[in-house]
Amino acid sequence: MQDGHPPQVGEEQVTLSPELQEEVRLARRCFAQIERLTTVMASYPPGHPVVENAVQGLRDAFYQFFELTDRLTVQIHPHWMDLYGAGETVWETQEPRDYCFALSRDGVYLIHILAGVDDTELRQLVSVLNELVDQRDMSTDAVSMLFEAGFRYISYDAIDESLALLAGLDNDVRNRDTREEQEAIEELFNEAFDKELDERVGSGQGMEADFEVRLQRRGEKQMKLEVGSRQFLQLDDQARAHLEDLKRGFTEHHELEHRQGEVLSALLGARPRAKLRRGAVAQIGNVMGALLETNAPWEALSFLKLIHRWRDKFQVEVAGELKEAVKECFTQTRIHALNKQVATAGQGPRRAILQMYNALHLEAASEGLIEVLGWDLEDEARDDILRYVRQRARRGLDFIERALPRVAGERAAPLVELLVGLMPRSRPLLLDVIKGQMEPSLKLKALVALRGTWSDVNEVRDVLVPLVRGSHSGLRLEALRALAAATPAHVLRVVEPLLDARLARRPDEEVRELVGVLVAHGGPAAVEKLRELVQRRGIVADEEQELAVAIVKAMIKSPTPEVVQLLEAVAKDWLVAGRIRSTCKEIVELMQ
């Protein structure tokens, strides 16, 4: 894999199970269809029959794959992809349309395509791939384009965002260096640091005296860095140039923090004693904390990635200690300031902070962003935050659940819409929205999203029944429909208390719906109840007449034989109040 070619079958004696072999075969078919569609979309206009046939083939390939498992995850290499966990190549690309190189170049190392992906997202993914290899525009990178796409069923992990071990991924990121580069790095490290260390150890001098990290004041910090730099950076011009290449885009750091990162990395890479190791890790946390309070807080992530490049040299304990140091430097005060910057800054800084959050899996920051959604935001800022939240929600909804009660009023609308889009996983949270203190319009959105999911009798009793008897018309209607679908046998018992004089003052649509549901699910008992309210004999109070007329007008939408028989009987009953009788007669004539 180091020479730029995928591993051959004979290189590793790995026996794949028949199931895994079938997954590999179908995955190769999926990517063959992707390659076909990329070529077709680059050659034909949208909607062309050739394009539509290619889309159909791609969709069929993925649907067949998802009959075996719920996701297709591939690892990206410079010119090929392999099925994650199997190590089998599923797609190779080459110039002039080397899609794998374009993704790898920009740091994308895992792509996950989940069951549920549809034509729209597959077309969009192909459009992203084609744009990546379009040499006319190199201004955008793969990570930004995938983020902006806002996929629901396609996600990715990027080297720039995941940090592998520090982010807690199962497998470390692949080493993108060639064998020659690895040897050069090893030689640089040995000549620049290990050799100096060996000489000191051989002369009886300990390393802790020169490298002890107690850098509290800026003067001390500068002095210690100068000592470290002399021992670590006394390299020839060629070695310095190579060291600059290793920075890979991090040259915009302040020089002091950058040099300090190199020295601290070298210290940890030399596997020092516990005291010095802990001091170096603590100093990394201090530097990151300081960077978080600058105008470019995302530099903290770049600084950490610089440290992370030495990870193969670190002791086992360092990974856990670094995680704790990183966690501690993101205090609530700093997170609040960062979230405020997300809400108010331009697109570049905003996305840089969001990518830092995503890289470090900062649940506290994600929770704070849920509250930010309740602020007055520019549409672009809100869209970016929602994309980020959707991406984090794939790993769990706990952070949304914790923040949900703190977002009130109409400001919670984007959050409710987000939860609706995450159904059915978000059902418990939408249930909390309905039962909580949200605006009725937002409760109605949540209630509509839960159609067909009311299988728990206790939920029907505790949630739907109070809403049917509540004060909001829209909620009453939707709850009534849900109640009739879930427990039709209980409709009459729940609706009967609503058949009073107040019903006449409700919207016509609601009265018609209520009577229709009652007739459809209440059976003969419901019709008899309506008879009691409509066939009023003798002098009848105005309120009772209003109720009877409202019910009669609603019956036109439910012309069952029992209803027609009832209306005809009332129309001929001269003991019934004239207004009620005449209304029944009109309705009967309309029905005939």
Side-chain angles (χ1 to χ4, degrees):
M1 295 175 66
Q2 299 287 348
D3 57 1
H5 298 286
Q8 301 300 315
V9 175
E11 290 184 11
E12 297 182 5
Q13 299 298 323
V14 178
T15 303
L16 301 180
S17 66
E19 293 81 6
L20 195 52
Q21 290 177 15
E22 181 67 4
E23 282 190 32
V24 171
R25 183 185 73 81
L26 293 176
R28 287 171 177 160
R29 179 171 176 244
C30 290
F31 283 100
Q33 293 295 330
I34 284 181
E35 183 160 21
R36 177 170 179 261
L37 183 56
T38 57
T39 303
V40 166
M41 287 181 64
S43 306
Y44 293 89
H48 193 282
V50 175
V51 176
E52 297 306 312
N53 289 337
V55 172
Q56 175 71 36
L58 178 58
R59 183 178 64 244
D60 292 346
F62 271 103
Y63 284 7
Q64 189 174 359
F65 181 89
F66 291 137
E67 290 178 359
L68 300 180
T69 181
D70 65 346
R71 70 174 56 206
L72 172 56
T73 296
V74 290
Q75 186 166 354
I76 316 297
H77 298 274
H79 305 289
W80 73 93
M81 298 180 186
D82 58 45
L83 187 65
Y84 189 67
E88 291 288 318
T89 301
V90 294
W91 194 23
E92 291 184 61
T93 61
Q94 55 188 357
E95 292 293 347
R97 308 187 70 77
D98 196 341
Y99 302 102
C100 296
F101 174 76
L103 292 166
S104 176
R105 171 196 66 203
D106 294 338
V108 178
Y109 88 103
L110 283 180
I111 288 182
H112 317 272
I113 304 176
L114 311 180
V117 68
D118 57 15
D119 295 4
T120 302
E121 288 206 348
L122 290 173
R123 289 175 195 261
Q124 196 171 7
L125 175 63
V126 170
S127 297
V128 169
L129 293 176
N130 278 341
E131 190 171 346
L132 278 175
V133 297
D134 186 354
Q135 299 300 315
R136 292 172 298 179
D137 183 9
M138 300 294 289
S139 62
T140 56
D141 62 279
V143 175
S144 298
M145 292 175 66
L146 290 170
F147 176 79
E148 290 173 359
F151 292 115
R152 290 185 60 192
Y153 294 98
I154 300 175
S155 60
Y156 61 94
D157 286 304
I159 291 177
D160 289 346
E161 297 180 11
S162 66
L163 297 185
L165 288 176
L166 293 181
L169 296 181
D170 294 334
N171 288 353
D172 201 357
V173 298
R174 75 212 184 288
N175 194 328
R176 292 192 299 170
D177 302 321
T178 64
R179 183 180 290 107
E180 292 76 13
E181 286 176 325
Q182 290 177 354
E183 292 174 353
I185 294 170
E186 186 74 19
E187 184 179 354
L188 272 174
F189 185 92
N190 290 336
E191 290 184 359
F193 187 81
D194 288 349
K195 185 177 179 182
E196 294 270 349
L197 177 62
D198 293 341
E199 291 175 356
R200 286 192 167 275
V201 172
S203 63
Q205 301 181 44
M207 67 174 289
E208 292 211 23
D210 287 332
F211 287 89
E212 185 174 2
V213 184
R214 279 200 310 259
L215 312 180
Q216 301 301 324
R217 295 192 297 274
R218 190 171 181 85
E220 283 183 329
K221 188 181 298 186
Q222 182 65 45
M223 179 186 67
K224 293 295 184 182
L225 284 172
E226 288 175 353
V227 172
S229 297
R230 283 199 302 272
Q231 293 180 314
F232 181 61
L233 297 178
Q234 286 180 348
L235 308 172
D236 57 30
D237 292 341
Q238 182 179 0
R240 285 179 178 275
H242 189 81
L243 186 61
E244 289 296 323
D245 291 338
L246 296 182
K247 295 176 183 178
R248 290 191 178 174
F250 303 135
T251 54
E252 294 181 0
H253 288 186
H254 296 296
E255 183 180 359
L256 183 62
E257 284 78 8
H258 196 68
R259 290 171 61 199
Q260 188 170 357
E262 293 165 345
V263 174
L264 291 169
S265 299
L267 288 175
L268 292 174
R271 297 176 174 267
R273 298 173 189 171
K275 180 180 178 182
L276 177 57
R277 184 191 74 236
R278 288 193 293 268
V281 170
Q283 183 58 23
I284 288 172
N286 292 339
V287 175
M288 286 191 64
L291 288 171
L292 289 174
E293 296 178 357
T294 66
N295 292 328
W298 52 88
E299 291 281 354
L301 179 59
S302 299
F303 173 81
L304 185 57
K305 285 187 282 190
L306 179 68
I307 303 293
H308 189 55
R309 294 189 183 282
W310 295 81
R311 63 188 179 279
D312 293 337
K313 296 285 184 181
F314 295 166
Q315 295 156 288
V316 176
E317 300 90 340
V318 171
E321 292 171 351
L322 274 176
K323 286 181 184 179
E324 287 302 313
V326 170
K327 182 179 178 181
E328 290 174 2
C329 75
F330 281 91
T331 63
Q332 283 298 326
T333 301
R334 286 171 177 161
I335 287 175
H336 181 75
L338 289 170
N339 285 347
K340 184 176 180 180
Q341 194 168 351
V342 168
T344 58
Q347 183 187 85
R350 178 174 61 252
R351 291 186 175 179
I353 295 173
L354 291 176
Q355 289 185 10
M356 176 173 66
Y357 284 174
N358 195 41
L360 300 175
H361 302 274
L362 296 174
E363 288 295 295
S366 301
E367 188 176 332
L369 284 177
I370 297 299
E371 297 183 57
V372 172
L373 284 173
W375 298 3
D376 291 326
L377 300 173
E378 297 289 337
D379 290 343
E380 190 178 66
R382 189 181 303 281
D383 290 344
D384 277 351
I385 295 173
L386 284 171
R387 286 193 196 100
Y388 166 82
V389 172
R390 275 193 292 268
Q391 187 168 346
R392 297 307 310 165
R394 294 190 181 106
R395 297 177 180 268
L397 303 176
D398 291 348
F399 71 100
I400 300 179
E401 184 177 9
R402 290 192 296 268
L404 189 60
R406 300 197 293 272
V407 184
E410 288 294 335
R411 296 179 181 274
L415 184 56
V416 173
E417 291 172 1
L418 172 68
L419 292 175
V420 169
L422 293 174
M423 274 287 288
R425 289 194 302 130
S426 60
R427 189 182 186 281
L429 275 69
L430 288 172
L431 206 57
D432 290 341
V433 169
I434 296 170
K435 294 188 293 186
Q437 300 300 316
M438 289 285 182
E439 293 291 314
S441 59
L442 300 182
K443 289 187 176 187
L444 181 57
K445 284 184 180 180
L447 193 57
V448 170
L450 297 188
R451 285 177 179 172
T453 67
W454 298 94
S455 57
D456 188 331
V457 176
N458 293 326
E459 285 185 354
V460 173
R461 179 195 64 208
D462 298 338
V463 180
L464 292 181
V465 172
L467 290 177
V468 170
R469 297 172 177 173
S471 59
H472 188 272
S473 177
L475 284 173
R476 286 198 301 261
L477 270 177
E478 185 59 37
L480 179 64
R481 297 182 188 117
L483 174 71
T487 56
H490 297 284
V491 168
L492 179 59
R493 181 172 58 84
V494 174
V495 171
E496 188 173 1
L498 304 179
L499 302 175
D500 57 20
R502 290 173 295 177
L503 183 64
R505 295 192 291 272
R506 292 187 178 180
D508 292 343
E509 179 189 357
E510 183 179 348
V511 177
R512 286 194 297 270
E513 186 83 19
L514 189 147
V515 171
V517 169
L518 190 60
V519 170
H521 300 284
V527 176
E528 286 305 312
K529 178 62 181 177
L530 293 175
R531 182 185 298 276
E532 294 175 11
L533 299 173
V534 172
Q535 198 166 5
R536 300 288 185 101
R537 294 179 173 179
I539 300 173
V540 180
D542 290 341
E543 286 187 352
E544 293 175 335
Q545 291 192 40
E546 290 288 343
L547 174 60
V549 168
I551 293 174
V552 169
K553 289 181 177 178
M555 286 181 176
I556 196 171
K557 293 293 185 180
S558 305
T560 64
E562 294 82 2
V563 168
V564 173
Q565 183 180 6
L566 168 62
L567 294 177
E568 288 177 343
V570 175
K572 298 175 183 178
D573 191 343
W574 291 96
L575 297 178
V576 173
R579 185 181 174 196
I580 301 173
R581 188 175 66 254
S582 61
T583 304
C584 288
K585 185 177 180 181
E586 291 174 6
I587 300 300
V588 170
E589 290 174 352
L590 288 173
M591 288 180 175
Q592 290 175 347

